[in-house]
Amino acid sequence: MAAESPDSTAELYAQHVARNYGAPPLTLVRGQGSKVWDAAGKCYLDFSSGIAVNALGHCHPVWVKRVQEQAAKLVHVSNLYRNEPQGQLAASLAKRCGPGRVIFCNSGAEANEGLLKLARLHGLKKSGVEGVCIGVVVAERAFHGRTFGGMSATPQEKIQKGFRPLLSGFSAAPLNDISAWDKAIDAKTTAAVLLETIQGEGGVFPADPQFLRDLQKICRDRNVLLLIDEIQCGIGRTGKFFAFEYAGIKPDAIAMAKGLGGGFPIGAIWMAPPHDELFQAGSHGTTFGGGALAASAALAVLEVMEDEKLIERVNHQVPVWHAALRALVSMRPDLVKEIRGTGYMIGVILSVDPVPLVTALRQAGLLTVPAGGVALRLLPPLTASAEELAESAEILGHVLREWKVA
Ligand SMILES: Cc1ncc(COP(=O)(O)O)c(C=O)c1O
């Protein structure tokens, strides 16, 4: 696609940046709150949030201050030594997750790698023999990242193509079909199940609360780990800190990333006892994980979420925003089939390819993200104002009203 506003950065990308992200249409140079500006000075309402990352919007003053202060004090010492922010962050996450332990990393895919290694260690403990109990059941349409472990857990041809052979032991069952999972989970050979509470990249498909509760029971009965990927739907996005809280389940381990650092790369896995003892000295590690600067950024996110009561605010604003979005279905039932999702993780489900609409919306000043074939994702920052939420629905209404279905 040709750049919408060509500039010298577009030139540098065209010549030197690997082609795996295609040709991004804009160079964004500045952000504040829910707004970003491109190199030509045009302002956009950013409801992509860097793909569900900027929980506090852009450049929240508290976040900026914490990161600046920590950058001037201590950035990195590796995990050969303790750093204060990592300890505080682990304690803060334990407050939300319950007793247990946390391992830090740098991205979502890495967090899922940690979960998959945990599954292997659990399988070894269960069977007593390496390589016997290595099964991991995932959901059809799942997305768990682009590393070899992540791709193996992502049963999508477009992700896996060209990279086989992948890790063995993975099987996929349809989301919300409990009898299929019941059949797929074998007490002897299955170490874990891994699933997103709301599938994001797959097209905004929520797991039913009852399905999650039934799945938890099967896992407990067969000594299989229930591993939940909250990388996209977690950290307040759905109106609870974790989306699985709606189902009242207690996962054995949780993967987090994206919103946790508010834009600074950090990931984490929390593990419930006794599984938190499976990782012992030498079993896992990363040079950067839980570095002082990244941990400070995450602490700032959690602090602002509490001080500004962001979760309460999301819940307060959701009814009006969702009603405005549902009005799009009545306005263009031929084009907009459904509004799906929870809180600030919304899929506008279309009857057409969402990509041209994402372009038209961007040109009209609203940044959105396509997903899973026919979904257009809206992922506002948790700090978005009522006016900004209303503006997003207005821009959508304006663009969709005129849209010609071929
Ligand atoms: C549910 C889920 N898991 C894992 C990942 C991978 O995270 P990352 O891109 O940080 O590696 C993503 C990214 O979109 C995701 O949505």
Side-chain angles (χ1 to χ4, degrees):
M1 186 194 296
E4 273 162 41
S5 56
D7 55 36
S8 57
T9 305
E11 269 303 298
L12 295 175
Y13 266 58
Q15 284 181 35
H16 305 294
V17 175
R19 296 185 196 280
N20 55 307
Y21 299 110
L26 297 178
T27 303
L28 297 175
V29 295
R30 187 164 70 83
Q32 191 61 59
S34 308
K35 303 275 167 63
V36 284
W37 285 263
D38 71 12
K42 181 171 170 178
C43 178
Y44 302 82
L45 183 58
D46 183 6
F47 275 25
S48 66
S49 295
I51 320 184
V53 165
N54 303 314
L56 308 184
H58 295 274
C59 301
H60 189 288
V62 174
W63 187 93
V64 171
K65 186 163 178 283
R66 290 282 181 285
V67 169
Q68 283 176 339
E69 280 170 1
Q70 190 62 46
K73 188 176 169 196
L74 184 73
V75 171
H76 174 79
V77 293
S78 86
N79 286 302
L80 293 174
Y81 306 98
R82 291 188 291 270
N83 73 71
E84 292 170 328
Q86 179 175 153
Q88 290 161 11
L89 181 59
S92 183
L93 289 175
K95 256 198 344 209
R96 288 165 173 88
C97 304
R101 292 182 182 277
V102 184
I103 297 183
F104 293 103
C105 56
N106 311 289
S107 68
E110 254 187 273
N112 284 333
E113 289 293 322
L115 290 187
L116 295 175
K117 285 181 77 172
L118 188 75
R120 286 281 170 104
L121 293 176
H122 177 71
L124 175 58
K125 184 175 158 190
K126 201 168 138 176
S127 66
V129 191
E130 209 162 331
V132 169
C133 181
I134 60 164
V136 178
V137 185
V138 297
E140 288 175 3
R141 273 191 319 251
F143 181 81
H144 294 292
R146 301 279 192 159
T147 53
F148 272 90
M151 285 192 295
S152 306
T154 298
Q156 295 188 41
E157 181 58 19
K158 66 173 192 230
I159 305 286
Q160 297 185 344
K161 190 167 170 261
F163 298 106
R164 298 188 180 98
L166 300 173
L167 295 183
S168 52
F170 289 84
S171 58
L175 186 68
N176 295 328
D177 179 348
I178 196 64
S179 61
W181 288 71
D182 189 15
K183 282 199 199 90
I185 298 169
D186 180 78
K188 279 211 176 65
T189 58
T190 306
V193 306
L194 169 63
L195 84 162
E196 299 152 270
T197 317
I198 301 179
Q199 295 183 330
E201 303 305 304
V204 191
F205 288 99
D208 290 343
Q210 190 56 49
F211 166 77
L212 289 173
R213 288 190 287 271
D214 293 344
L215 188 60
Q216 171 169 268
K217 175 150 188 348
I218 293 173
C219 288
R220 295 274 191 276
D221 290 349
R222 297 178 199 172
N223 190 15
V224 164
L225 294 185
L226 176 61
L227 307 176
I228 298 290
D229 178 342
E230 287 266 337
I231 287 163
Q232 185 160 152
C233 59
I235 323 292
R237 178 149 296 283
T238 64
K240 298 258 189 209
F241 191 79
F242 292 117
F244 67 74
E245 290 170 34
Y246 283 104
I249 57 164
K250 298 241 173 290
D252 294 310
I254 306 164
M256 307 159 234
K258 288 196 184 269
L260 181 61
F264 204 101
I266 185 168
I269 63 173
W270 169 88
M271 300 160 291
H275 316 297
D276 57 344
E277 298 298 335
L278 288 170
F279 281 120
Q280 290 295 328
S283 359
H284 192 39
T286 160
T287 303
F288 291 115
L293 193 54
S296 290
L299 278 169
V301 169
L302 300 181
E303 180 189 320
V304 172
M305 277 179 74
E306 265 187 26
D307 290 353
E308 298 187 9
K309 299 194 177 3
L310 291 184
I311 291 185
E312 289 89 328
R313 186 165 151 168
V314 168
N315 289 316
H316 178 70
Q317 300 198 127
V318 148
V320 173
W321 187 48
H322 285 193
L325 295 176
R326 280 196 300 271
L328 302 170
V329 184
S330 334
M331 183 191 80
R332 282 295 305 263
D334 59 322
L335 179 59
V336 186
K337 294 295 163 196
E338 191 189 346
I339 304 297
R340 201 159 58 210
T342 310
Y344 284 7
M345 182 167 177
I346 288 298
V348 178
I349 311 305
L350 302 166
S351 60
V352 297
D353 176 7
V355 174
L357 259 164
V358 168
T359 303
L361 288 165
R362 183 173 64 242
Q363 287 162 347
L366 175 66
L367 302 188
T368 61
V369 194
V374 291
L376 187 145
R377 258 177 305 173
L378 301 172
L379 303 162
L382 309 186
T383 48
S385 67
E387 292 72 28
E388 288 164 340
L389 293 167
E391 189 186 341
S392 73
E394 270 161 38
I395 298 174
L396 274 157
H398 178 71
V399 170
L400 292 171
R401 188 173 295 116
E402 309 297 327
W403 196 257
K404 302 239 177 328
V405 176

